Amino acid sequence: MTRGSIQAMGHSFGLSAGQRSGPQLEAELPPPPELLPADAVVDLAVARRDTGVDEVLERLDAELVGLGPVKTRIAEIAALLLVDRMRSQFGVSAPQPSLHMCFTGNPGTGKTTVALRMADMLHKLGYLRRGKLVSVTRDDLVGEYIGHTAPKTKEIIKRAMGGVLFIDEAYYLYKVENERDYGSEAIEILLQVMENNRDDLVVILAGYADKMDQFFSANPGMQSRIAHHVSFPDYTVSELEQIAGRMTEQLGYKLSAGGREALQEYLVRWIIPPWFSNARSGCNAVERARLRHARRLVNGADQQVGLAALTTIEAPDLLASRVFEQARTRDGDS
């Protein structure tokens, strides 16, 4: 890319050459901090505490069950940025790493939640000016007629600058079967910004793994700008039970022994595609059980109920699900 095209791209976002997209201070910048001598030591534990990065990682671990490989990659990125901060205190510098990412996995595997925590973590570590996440899809970026896409895409990028831009189902930006589609224009703008403003914007693409592979094959420039590919695995039945259990407690309910067995049976049957949506399936099971629980109490013969009855989800509240009805129908047909 030529120097002129880079400057032109900056001007299109209201920037002059050499100017960051963040708020500018009219006053003279303070002098850089004094460097540490070569024989000095730094306390990484104190640095972690002062930046708040441990708090972010702990919150991520508390919010999401499982996802061990995903959490490991996020912790590695946090460690790299923290060590870079410590190295800079000795005058040792390296180019700022590119952190554009691709999150692949099925629906309900926690991709958006991890992106939110990533934005917060990168802000706390000083990589980004803001801990803000702007989440968009194709409709937010691509116009419907000539001259409509560029303003839409640039407006979204302007909103996201200083933070994280999360593009869900990013492969829909490119429609190979439609030569007149305007998605390629949005991709071209994104490519330029991902290269020229990578110290002030992190772009995270998300979607199904196979479709993202096809997208990258058709758009090798985008592939080359993605530094981290993070795969989100499907949840196991055991992990889904934990998710549903957490949600039940947060809502002020508990599962009886029979209710826990029914929940496990429900998940074993529901985990089969195409309708399975990971954590959302577990949450939906609890929400529907709440409806049946309430109806059971209101329509019950005994209208005098105590706290235990009001807060306990029983097996019938789950076994009435159409998931079991479909299983009985399949067994009857066979």
Side-chain angles (χ1 to χ4, degrees):
M1 185 174 294
T2 66
R3 180 183 180 89
S5 63
I6 293 175
Q7 291 177 343
M9 192 64 201
H11 287 307
S12 70
F13 287 92
L15 305 178
S16 59
Q19 183 183 18
R20 279 177 61 94
S21 56
Q24 304 298 311
L25 301 178
E26 294 183 0
E28 184 178 347
L29 293 175
E34 185 176 346
L35 297 179
L36 295 175
D39 59 351
V41 296
V42 292
D43 192 324
L44 293 175
V46 172
R48 291 201 312 268
R49 183 192 64 215
D50 290 346
T51 58
V53 66
D54 281 350
E55 179 184 342
V56 176
L57 294 176
E58 288 169 4
R59 183 177 178 185
L60 181 65
D61 197 43
E63 287 179 335
L64 294 175
V65 171
L67 299 181
V70 175
K71 293 175 180 177
T72 297
R73 175 63 67 88
I74 303 307
E76 289 172 347
I77 293 172
L80 172 63
L81 297 180
L82 186 70
V83 168
D84 275 357
R85 283 170 65 105
M86 299 301 101
R87 283 159 48 93
S88 69
Q89 295 185 29
F90 292 90
V92 180
S93 62
Q96 190 156 312
S98 173
L99 292 183
H100 300 312
M101 307 177 196
C102 178
F103 289 176
T104 55
N106 291 324
T109 48
K111 296 185 291 296
T112 304
T113 299
V114 171
L116 281 165
R117 298 285 79 80
M118 176 64 71
D120 189 19
M121 184 186 78
L122 295 180
H123 172 59
K124 290 182 181 299
L125 286 168
Y127 188 92
L128 294 174
R129 293 183 287 112
R130 300 184 295 170
K132 179 181 181 180
L133 178 120
V134 175
S135 180
V136 299
T137 61
R138 171 191 163 88
D139 290 344
D140 300 298
L141 298 167
V142 181
E144 300 176 359
Y145 50 84
I146 295 176
H148 191 206
T149 295
K152 287 187 69 171
T153 302
K154 290 178 181 180
E155 178 59 30
I156 291 295
I157 291 172
K158 184 177 178 180
R159 282 172 46 200
M161 274 296 179
V164 173
L165 175 60
F166 181 82
I167 307 176
D168 198 14
E169 297 183 315
Y171 32 76
Y172 288 132
L173 289 175
Y174 182 77
K175 294 187 175 181
V176 66
E177 72 281 359
N178 186 354
E179 295 181 357
R180 300 181 64 183
D181 183 68
Y182 303 118
S184 58
E185 186 177 358
I187 292 172
E188 182 62 27
I189 295 172
L190 286 168
L191 288 172
Q192 293 178 7
V193 173
M194 289 168 71
E195 181 65 26
N196 302 337
N197 299 84
R198 63 181 182 179
D199 61 340
D200 200 35
L201 178 70
V202 169
V203 175
I204 299 179
L205 310 178
Y208 291 106
D210 56 343
K211 292 185 177 181
M212 287 307 304
D213 286 343
Q214 295 172 11
F215 174 75
F216 287 133
S217 295
N219 299 276
M222 187 67 77
Q223 165 79 12
S224 67
R225 284 165 174 78
I226 298 297
H228 301 275
H229 292 263
V230 184
S231 177
F232 287 66
D234 286 335
Y235 287 107
T236 65
V237 170
S238 175
E239 290 170 340
L240 290 171
E241 284 185 76
Q242 294 181 56
I243 292 169
R246 287 185 180 185
M247 182 178 178
T248 303
E249 293 177 2
Q250 291 169 357
L251 293 171
Y253 290 84
K254 61 182 178 180
L255 290 163
S256 68
R260 286 193 293 271
E261 292 180 5
L263 175 64
Q264 184 179 53
E265 292 179 24
Y266 172 95
L267 294 172
V268 168
R269 286 166 170 77
W270 192 243
I271 202 170
I272 302 173
W275 307 118
F276 174 62
S277 56
N278 283 285
R280 295 172 195 164
S281 293
C283 293
N284 289 340
V286 173
E287 288 290 0
R288 290 164 186 157
R290 289 179 66 199
L291 293 173
R292 301 187 194 99
H293 165 266
R295 185 179 63 182
R296 175 172 58 81
L297 293 183
V298 171
N299 294 341
D302 186 1
Q303 294 291 289
Q304 304 297 314
V305 296
L307 179 61
L310 291 168
T311 58
T312 304
I313 293 177
E314 302 285 356
D317 303 326
L318 287 153
L319 294 174
S321 167
R322 62 184 175 89
V323 171
F324 293 98
E325 180 63 32
Q326 290 170 349
R328 287 190 289 269
T329 300
R330 287 196 300 270
D331 293 343
D333 292 341
S334 60

